[in-house]
Amino acid sequence: MSVQPATPGPLTVRTVEIDHPGDLISRLPGPGISWVRRGEGMVAWGEVARLDTAGTYRIDEADAWWRRVTRHAVVRDDVHAPGTGLIAFGSFAFADSSPAGGALIVPRYVLGVHGDTAWLTVISEDGAIDLPGLDGATANATPVAPMPPVTIADGDREAWATAVTSAVGRIGAGELDKVVLARAVPAAAQTPIDARAVLARLADDYPSCWTFAVDGLMGATPELLARVDHGLVTSRVLAGTIRPTGDETADLAHAAALARSSKDREEHEYAVRSVRDVLEAHCGSVNVPEEPSVLHLPNVMHLATDVTGVLSHNASALELIRELHPSAAVCGTPTLTAARVIDELEGLDRARYAGPVGWINAAGDGEWCIGLRSAEVSAADPTRLRLFAGCGIVAASEPDSEWAESEAKLEPMRRALGAS
């Protein structure tokens, strides 16, 4: 019998509207949490309650713990926008066996922006709510430390080629249809890195991505695992990738070629199907566009499909991501076979890379992405990082082209660290 994680005493929550704070990431007073896209979203700091979990049932345990936390909370929310009121941020390991496990964190302060509305949420575990205003909440702010020199390894190209070739052989033998292989590239900074400096660069370079930082994992991910908002659920599937040239005319032709590529379309269709099958079990209706679009980012272009549905029952965001993860976009098809092949060929612990990262509110609504285009900061040594990138391998994959794709996917973090 598993031991139930401890639940904090009743939380008291107050959300008030404030003047627009300007750039959200620049208002973080120190190390904290980020969830920002196109200038909107939330940053948070302090910690009122926390769940650390691990193993096969880590997301189920988080969902059950969150339900207990919210059941007795006293919430006064004057704003009623996505992300107001009682909220927790979380991230979870890719693999069930990973010691990285998962965490759900209730912060002390949350600063948010949605459209023209801005708010400050204060959360207390002792029943006392002091509304200090934004200036008071950030009174102990520390200056952002300048980015130190960072050395990033090149990676083992020979080992990558061996893994890709082996995966293609297994696919050709009929063992599986697709597998996603990842690389972890170590990096070292001369002094501890201030995540705020990295996040600011990511947000500037990739405004259409979710610039996130939760419990040691930070990045700018383009892939939405699940957004739940008053019964509507959305998942953005990305699979199939090409690198842009910077020439607008040439890139339009490359985008058209990507949309026609049988290799990339096959990879994309596996990922879409894995998401659709989960949502159909929870939704009265699911909409899947007949053709994917092409998502243009500064470093890559992806085939993209937004799958939407209307929930037929009261499913929380955590319940949905538990079933959606891992999708074929980050694991493969069939899922269990692909996970086993990853264990055998990758030679690394992904930790929370490619796992769910996001937030949930007291109603169970929330927004969760896949932790891609990311780096893990070592908890033991904040000068050490691991950068990650992964590629979907299908029968037509070639080691050199997959290496080039992984290099393109490493570019956001390399650039944010000042190393490219």
Side-chain angles (χ1 to χ4, degrees), residues 323-340:
E323 295 191 28
L324 286 166
H325 175 76
S327 77
V330 293
C331 184
T333 303
T335 302
L336 293 179
T337 304
R340 176 175 52 78

Side-chain angles (χ1 to χ4, degrees), residues 272-310:
V272 170
R273 190 180 312 140
S274 71
V275 170
R276 182 201 63 202
D277 290 348
V278 170
L279 293 190
E280 284 181 342
H282 292 277
C283 296
S285 61
V286 175
N287 179 62
V288 181
E290 291 185 3
E291 296 289 328
S293 61
V294 177
L295 175 66
H296 294 253
L297 297 172
N299 61 318
V300 289
M301 293 183 284
H302 292 294
L303 290 180
T305 296
D306 287 338
V307 182
T308 58
V310 179

Side-chain angles (χ1 to χ4, degrees), residues 18-288:
I18 62 172
D19 293 336
H20 198 292
D23 178 72
L24 283 170
I25 292 170
S26 69
R27 300 308 296 261
L28 265 174
I33 291 169
S34 171
W35 191 261
V36 176
R37 181 173 184 255
R38 300 191 191 281
E40 298 186 3
M42 294 163 284
V43 293
W45 59 99
E47 190 172 298
V48 171
R50 177 189 181 102
L51 169 75
D52 290 295
T53 183
T56 302
Y57 302 104
R58 61 197 180 284
I59 301 177
D60 298 276
E61 287 182 356
D63 191 23
W65 180 83
W66 182 240
R67 291 176 190 272
R68 293 196 300 273
V69 169
T70 60
R71 189 174 299 137
H72 302 295
V74 179
V75 181
R76 182 177 173 187
D77 181 357
D78 295 345
V79 180
H80 299 288
T84 62
L86 180 56
I87 184 173
F89 296 85
S91 66
F92 297 94
F94 171 81
D96 292 348
S97 60
S98 173
L104 207 58
I105 301 165
V106 182
R108 173 76 62 190
Y109 298 105
V110 183
L111 174 64
V113 171
H114 181 74
D116 296 328
T117 302
W119 66 90
L120 178 68
T121 296
V122 182
I123 304 174
S124 169
E125 72 274 42
D126 60 11
I129 286 288
D130 175 26
L131 287 173
L134 183 55
D135 290 339
T138 58
N140 296 320
T142 58
V144 178
M147 185 71 67
V150 180
T151 302
I152 301 177
D154 293 329
D156 190 335
R157 188 162 185 165
E158 183 177 345
W160 175 257
T162 299
V164 172
T165 300
S166 179
V168 170
R170 293 186 180 204
I171 292 168
E175 186 176 342
L176 72 169
D177 299 313
K178 171 190 173 181
V179 63
V180 180
L181 296 180
R183 296 169 53 202
V185 180
Q190 288 189 3
T191 58
I193 288 173
D194 191 327
R196 293 172 294 176
V198 179
L199 296 170
R201 292 184 180 184
L202 289 171
D204 285 344
D205 290 345
Y206 298 89
S208 64
C209 295
W210 286 264
T211 299
F212 68 91
V214 180
D215 205 35
L217 188 73
M218 60 180 173
T221 178
E223 190 151 1
L224 177 67
L225 184 60
R227 179 193 297 119
V228 180
D229 185 9
H230 294 86
L232 301 177
V233 58
T234 304
S235 181
R236 168 167 287 183
V237 179
L238 302 181
T241 305
I242 195 170
R243 188 163 190 168
T245 64
D247 179 280
E248 185 175 350
T249 301
D251 285 344
L252 286 173
H254 286 166
L258 176 65
R260 295 192 302 268
S261 164
S262 58
K263 180 261 184 188
D264 292 291
R265 288 291 291 264
E266 178 187 23
E267 180 185 345
H268 189 77
E269 286 166 7
Y270 287 133
V272 170
R273 190 180 312 140
S274 71
V275 170
R276 182 201 63 202
D277 290 348
V278 170
L279 293 190
E280 284 181 342
H282 292 277
C283 296
S285 61
V286 175
N287 179 62
V288 181

